[in-house]
Amino acid sequence: MHENAAWSQNELIIGLDEAGRGCFAGPVVAAAVMLPISTTYHNLKDSKTIDEAQRLAAYRWITQHC
């Protein structure tokens, strides 16, 4: 993983995601979160690939740990 290589050099990891259809079809929302060193939470992936319950769980985890 790229993250492990960066963490081994004390570099910060920023997770990014966006939601929406873009400026031609409607609004877009984007977010960035600095992840703690050695983060392994399983739902940190593209929000379009997980269901609503997993997104909610990821949101709760992010607001508590990041």
Side-chain angles (χ1 to χ4, degrees):
M1 275 176 29
H2 299 290
E3 292 88 355
N4 291 333
W7 283 320
S8 72
Q9 296 180 23
N10 292 322
E11 295 179 0
L12 300 176
I13 302 296
I14 306 295
L16 305 170
D17 199 11
E18 51 72 30
R21 296 187 174 257
C23 60
F24 295 115
V28 173
V29 176
V33 175
M34 186 172 63
L35 303 175
I37 291 177
S38 300
T39 296
T40 58
Y41 185 67
H42 63 280
N43 277 338
L44 295 180
K45 53 184 95 175
D46 187 342
S47 63
K48 294 172 195 74
T49 65
I50 59 177
D51 63 32
E52 184 175 356
Q54 292 170 314
R55 279 191 298 277
L56 199 55
Y59 169 78
R60 287 189 198 112
W61 187 90
I62 289 167
T63 57
Q64 291 174 2
H65 295 94
C66 298

